[in-house]
């Protein structure tokens, strides 16, 4: 990649415009912060919030984060960073059946790996929604007492039938006008475990004729006997996500609550709930505001949690960190970089419009960052033997290769040249095609960092495959010496000394799906899996790579960018994964 390539400017981000407008108008300038999340009584005792804005990244800990989450992470943490604010790391753990500590740990690891943290202004801002269950229960009781919620005892089928459609209004529940005292008693009995799962539910009382179905008395609390990873068996009732989420934002004094477009229809309920709780004195102004942006739609991948689970549990991949998966754990193991993800987030921007992002943009961002950071090394992936017949037996000599052509300050490393070398099979052709400038019978080529050699012959096996190429070297043509340019050649090939090579496993990863839109139309997305998404080979590498540590990244000259596998590499014996080729191999 050219060092002087014109950089692509960041795409537009309408949420930045909103933040800048709010800062200019002082919308959140004087709000108090008591040093921790809390209700109105607590927050009004605080001093002026040192954070200009507060955003949050609120994943549910029920799975591994994927590339789409990286966009949200970079957006929320990036805004807080750029506008002297704080981004809260909040686990939205209101669904006890699906949440595990394993996912909590994997999520915090992924956010840190992307280069973000939640310590600011002298304290940590790592929070759990489940720590607010007491307040949520109190808020629910207030809604009942104020006539804004009721206990419904319809069955799930009855509720569904009475909800209405997009063109027909819903019908009131027969329990909708029960006295508040009766609903309050039943709600407390629900809390105390006196009713069966599914026998009743708490609903907000809004408008069953609303054109927005989400405002037709949405459910806000249900009975669910399940052990919670954080609160254990303290509760047998749990808040619904649409109720819990705005409450969490208010307690944490979030200013800009940023979510994806599927929550746009939920915003009226978000505002309704916060305004009612504010009017009751439970939370304080200024209230959080919700803003929606288009989620990431990326070609050649699936980001559906259900489909990702199918891929893992169906053993189409080796696990959640399989380098072919779009999980952040898989991307990290593949060798993708945090810098590449942050560049990708800047490049695609933030908008309201749903659109497809080409996977090549993500790959180009990885190439761009790796081109800057990855030192160069030599690897022969499909080796055949090259014997220099006139080179002294048992002798070797130093050749010098730059560690990074764009960073001369990193110096050069020594690679050994000897009588027998490994070269790429594609670098010799018995009957050359037009425009082929590498090694051919009687032809000249330069050994990169070494001598010019002339092909004098070759050997084949019984199947007719070339196994060994013979040549002679021209002693006065070594790179870096006065005679290096005495003979002009068009071809330049790389090599490693057979006596000094490191043979190891290399995994050539490619896209998991062969179609840009897996499962489009009536296809089963599993039928679109690329059968060539992994090719495991034994390659010959320069000896210096034997000391690579897990997650060390390199450009293998002419081949692409590779990483020492995070899981399977051991000291003195790393294996390598191909991160991305040097250029788009999928271009037609």
């Amino acid at each position: 990649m050219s060092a002087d390539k014109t950089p692509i400017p960041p795409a537009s981000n309408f949420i930045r415009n909103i933040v800048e407008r709010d800062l200019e108008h002082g919308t959140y300038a004087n709000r108090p912060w008591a040093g921790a999340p809390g209700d109105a009584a607590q927050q009004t005792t605080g001093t002026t919030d040192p954070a200009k804005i507060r955003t949050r990244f609120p994943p549910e800990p029920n799975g591994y984060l994927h590339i789409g989450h990286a966009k949200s992470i970079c957006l929320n943490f990036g805004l807080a960073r750029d506008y002297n604010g704080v981004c809260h790391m909040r686990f939205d753990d209101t669904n006890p059946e699906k949440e595990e500590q394993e996912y909590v740990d994997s999520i915090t690891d992924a956010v840190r790996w992307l280069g973000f943290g939640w310590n600011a202004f002298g304290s940590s801002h790592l929070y759990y929604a489940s720590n607010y269950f007491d307040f949520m229960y109190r808020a629910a009781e207030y809604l009942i007492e104020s006539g804004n919620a009721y206990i419904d005892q319809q069955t799930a089928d009855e509720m569904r039938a009475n909800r209405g459609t997009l063109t027909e209004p819903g019908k009131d529940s027969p329990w909708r006008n029960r006295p508040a005292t009766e609903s309050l008693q039943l709600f407390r009995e629900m809390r105390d475990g006196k009713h069966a799962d599914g026998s009743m539910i708490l609903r907000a009382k809004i408008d069953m004729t609303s054109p927005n179905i989400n405002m037709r008395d949405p459910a806000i609390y249900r009975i669910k006997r399940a052990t919670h990873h954080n609160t254990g068996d303290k509760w047998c009732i749990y808040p619904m996500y649409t109720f819990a989420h705005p409450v969490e934002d208010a307690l944490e004094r979030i200013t800009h609550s940023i979510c994806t477009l599927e929550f746009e229809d939920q915003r009226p309920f978000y505002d309704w709930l916060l305004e009612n709780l504010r009017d009751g004195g439970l939370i304080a102004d200024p209230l959080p505001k919700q803003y929606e942006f288009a989620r990431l739609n990326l070609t050649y991948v699936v980001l559906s949690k259900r489909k990702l689970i199918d891929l893992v549990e169906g053993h189409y991949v080796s696990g959640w960190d399989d380098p072919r998966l779009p999980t952040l754990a898989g991307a990290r193991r593949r060798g993708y970089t945090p810098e590449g993800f942050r560049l990708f987030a800047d490049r695609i921007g933030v908008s309201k419009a749903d659109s497809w992002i080409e996977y090549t943009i993500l790959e180009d961002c990885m190439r761009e960052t790796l081109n800057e950071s990855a030192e160069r090394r030599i690897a022969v992936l499909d080796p055949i033997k090259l014997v220099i017949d006139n080179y002294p037996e048992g002798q070797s000599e130093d050749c010098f290769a730059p560690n990074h052509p764009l960073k001369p300050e990193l110096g050069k490393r020594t690679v050994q040249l000897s009588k027998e070398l490994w070269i790429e099979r594609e670098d010799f052709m018995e009957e050359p095609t037009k425009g082929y400038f590498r090694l051919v019978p009687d032809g000249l080529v330069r050994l990169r960092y070494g001598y010019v050699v002339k092909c004098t012959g070759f050997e084949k096996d019984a199947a007719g495959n070339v196994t060994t190429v013979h040549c002679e070297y021209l002693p006065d043509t070594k790179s870096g010496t006065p005679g290096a340019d005495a003979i002009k050649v068009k071809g330049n090939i790389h090599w490693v000394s057979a006596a000094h090579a490191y043979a190891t496993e290399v995994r050539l990863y490619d896209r998991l799906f062969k179609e840009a839109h897996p499962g489009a139309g009536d296809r089963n997305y599993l039928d679109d899996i690329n059968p060539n998404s992994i090719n495991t080979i034994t390659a010959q590498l320069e000896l210096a790579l034997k000391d690579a540590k897990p997650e060390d990244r390199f450009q293998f000259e002419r081949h692409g960018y590779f990483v020492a596998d995070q899981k399977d590499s051991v000291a003195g014996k790393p294996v390598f994964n191909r991160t991305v080729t040097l250029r788009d191999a999928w271009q037609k």
Side-chain angles (χ1 to χ4, degrees), residues 411-443:
K412 295 185 177 183
R413 67 192 188 282
T414 302
V415 291
Q416 292 293 307
L417 182 140
S418 61
K419 185 179 183 70
E420 295 189 357
L421 310 176
W422 294 113
I423 64 169
E424 294 288 348
R425 184 174 303 276
E426 67 177 22
D427 284 348
F428 172 77
M429 188 173 287
E430 180 181 358
E431 297 179 3
T433 57
K434 184 178 180 181
Y436 186 83
F437 297 120
R438 282 165 275 176
L439 203 55
V440 300
D442 296 321

Side-chain angles (χ1 to χ4, degrees), residues 54-115:
R54 287 185 183 266
T55 60
R56 82 289 173 272
F57 176 62
E60 183 180 359
N62 64 352
Y64 285 79
L65 299 184
H66 55 60
I67 292 172
H69 293 113
K71 177 180 178 180
S72 181
I73 292 168
C74 292
L75 172 59
N76 281 287
F77 281 93
L79 287 170
R81 175 199 61 206
D82 294 345
Y83 294 101
N84 195 28
V86 177
C87 182
H88 294 189
M89 179 72 231
R90 180 209 300 155
F91 287 101
D92 238 320
D93 55 346
T94 58
N95 190 351
E97 291 182 303
K98 298 181 178 180
E99 294 155 359
E100 298 178 17
Q101 187 62 39
E102 172 191 354
Y103 299 134
V104 171
D105 295 339
S106 72
I107 289 168
T108 54
D109 286 347
V111 175
R112 287 194 180 102
W113 175 70
L114 282 174

Side-chain angles (χ1 to χ4, degrees), residues 270-316:
Y270 183 101
D271 294 338
W272 177 92
L273 176 60
L274 294 185
E275 288 164 5
N276 273 278
L277 297 182
R278 177 201 58 198
D279 293 346
L282 278 75
I283 59 174
D285 275 326
L287 299 179
K289 292 293 183 182
Q290 177 177 300
Y291 303 95
E292 307 86 17
F293 69 97
R295 68 163 57 242
L296 176 64
N297 297 308
L298 193 63
T299 58
Y300 293 100
V301 301
V302 294
L303 298 179
S304 156
K305 190 169 292 183
R306 177 185 61 80
K307 291 179 179 178
L308 292 175
I309 290 172
D310 287 346
L311 289 169
V312 173
E313 294 184 350
H315 303 291
Y316 297 97

Side-chain angles (χ1 to χ4, degrees), residues 80 180 350 456 487 493:
V350 179
T456 57
I487 297 179
I493 66 174

Side-chain angles (χ1 to χ4, degrees), residues 259-473:
C259 55
T260 46
L261 278 176
E262 64 264 34
F263 294 102
E264 188 171 28
D265 288 343
Q266 295 285 355
R267 190 182 347 129
F269 177 69
Y270 183 101
D271 294 338
W272 177 92
L273 176 60
L274 294 185
E275 288 164 5
N276 273 278
L277 297 182
R278 177 201 58 198
D279 293 346
L282 278 75
I283 59 174
D285 275 326
L287 299 179
K289 292 293 183 182
Q290 177 177 300
Y291 303 95
E292 307 86 17
F293 69 97
R295 68 163 57 242
L296 176 64
N297 297 308
L298 193 63
T299 58
Y300 293 100
V301 301
V302 294
L303 298 179
S304 156
K305 190 169 292 183
R306 177 185 61 80
K307 291 179 179 178
L308 292 175
I309 290 172
D310 287 346
L311 289 169
V312 173
E313 294 184 350
H315 303 291
Y316 297 97
V317 293
S318 62
W320 286 103
D321 64 349
D322 188 300
R324 294 167 294 174
L325 275 186
T327 59
L328 292 183
R332 179 176 181 176
R333 194 173 171 197
R334 176 79 170 255
Y336 284 9
T337 67
E339 297 85 359
F341 276 116
R342 297 198 295 269
L343 178 62
F344 178 63
D346 284 344
R347 194 152 287 173
I348 63 176
V350 179
S351 75
K352 282 273 192 180
D354 261 325
S355 61
W356 284 93
I357 303 298
E358 293 294 331
Y359 198 83
T360 52
I361 296 176
L362 176 61
E363 290 179 321
D364 282 342
C365 289
M366 295 302 160
R367 290 187 185 99
E368 196 168 322
T369 57
L370 286 166
N371 183 54
E372 290 292 322
S373 62
E375 292 194 6
R376 278 42 170 176
R377 295 293 185 267
I378 303 170
V380 178
L381 303 185
D382 186 14
I384 59 172
K385 189 68 68 69
L386 177 69
V387 179
I388 309 176
D389 292 320
N390 63 335
Y391 196 87
E393 194 79 43
Q395 181 176 312
S396 67
E397 63 182 282
D398 295 343
C399 295
F400 302 98
N403 286 313
H404 199 303
L406 304 179
K407 298 181 178 180
E409 67 274 13
L410 294 179
K412 295 185 177 183
R413 67 192 188 282
T414 302
V415 291
Q416 292 293 307
L417 182 140
S418 61
K419 185 179 183 70
E420 295 189 357
L421 310 176
W422 294 113
I423 64 169
E424 294 288 348
R425 184 174 303 276
E426 67 177 22
D427 284 348
F428 172 77
M429 188 173 287
E430 180 181 358
E431 297 179 3
T433 57
K434 184 178 180 181
Y436 186 83
F437 297 120
R438 282 165 275 176
L439 203 55
V440 300
D442 296 321
L444 295 171
V445 73
R446 176 172 292 282
L447 300 176
R448 190 164 169 83
Y449 312 122
Y451 296 95
V452 172
V453 296
K454 180 178 181 179
C455 177
T456 57
F458 54 91
E459 303 171 22
K460 294 183 177 181
D461 61 16
N465 299 311
V466 174
T467 58
T468 305
V469 178
H470 290 269
C471 69
E472 294 182 350
Y473 82 112

